[in-house]
Amino acid sequence: MKNILVPTDFSQNSIRALKYAQMLFSSLECNFYLLHVGTLLDTKNDAGLYPETDKVTESTKKELADLVKETREHSLEANHFFFPLHEYGFFIPTIKKHLQENNIDLIVMGTKGASGIKEKVVGTHTGDVITKVQCNTLVVPEDVELSKPREIAFPTDLNIFYSLKILRPMMEMVRLGKSQFRIMHAIQEGDHLTEEQKNNKEYLLDFIKETLQEGHSFHTITNKKVKSAIQCFVESREIDMMFMVAKNINFIQQVLFDSIVEQISFHTKIPFYVIHE
């Protein structure tokens, strides 16, 4: 049984993320926990300090219940189960609380489309979950296609050792879609791998070859900056999903946190699967 937490604010992008997760894990038995985090002001409302806004709070609870009911009724998978979670408080502590209480294996978060050239690739809540919550997180963009990934990319700088806790979730995802797994490394012309990078690459490829046997490849792209290299690779290979490792925060920083949508376009359609160790 896989336990999946889906934070929702009832926006189209959060509902799209839920639908994507349902499709992606259609072959697995799953519990989906739909979580709406109310503000601390809502707590005062429920205490009767602001009676005029009590109706708003009740409306939110009903909206969550309706979403769960509708999702349950329209689910085509008999092995999927849906539960509402309505909580007050700060976003990250509330997420962490439910990770423990419901033994969560995966967080699925929706992201909004580009509304301006200064918008970051990932928003504040998503960025906080990736960096502050020790749980694998699937970040789903608003314009994602509701189909299992055929091509999955794993851009890496080879600077960290890939443990089984990192590699096993990758392999699970690859098998779910019977996907092709493409490892990508960007390097400047004239640069060479360090001994540590060579060892990490050797272990990574040995594991992939033994696990997948076929349907994988390693690609080295020279003379391009990381973001440009990834963008070209995603477009040329028609990539449907991207793996990233939370431990390698410097690499994620370059691609997700330091980028604005004007500089990087694939974020509007490509889900990011961020894996924690």
Side-chain angles (χ1 to χ4, degrees), residues 59-107:
S59 174
T60 302
K61 290 181 178 179
K62 184 179 184 303
E63 194 169 3
L64 179 61
D66 288 345
L67 175 60
V68 170
K69 181 181 177 182
E70 181 180 356
T71 305
R72 188 180 289 142
E73 289 176 349
H74 288 84
S75 175
L76 300 177
E77 310 304 330
N79 56 352
H80 284 181
F81 307 92
F82 305 89
F83 306 93
L85 299 173
H86 192 283
E87 192 84 23
Y88 301 114
F90 295 108
F91 189 74
I92 293 300
T94 304
I95 293 284
K96 290 180 177 179
K97 171 189 172 185
H98 286 288
L99 288 188
Q100 293 184 337
E101 289 185 356
N102 297 295
N103 196 26
I104 297 299
D105 302 297
L106 176 71
I107 300 171

Side-chain angles (χ1 to χ4, degrees), residues 143-178:
D143 297 332
V144 68
E145 292 184 11
L146 294 181
S147 59
K148 292 187 177 181
R150 300 169 299 278
E151 295 273 340
I152 298 178
F154 176 36
T156 174
D157 57 10
L158 298 172
N159 280 326
I160 65 171
F161 176 76
Y162 302 105
S163 67
L164 293 180
K165 286 193 71 174
I166 293 172
L167 294 172
R168 281 172 177 162
M170 290 186 185
M171 295 304 98
E172 178 193 52
M173 190 66 73
V174 170
R175 291 192 183 103
L176 277 176
K178 299 179 180 178

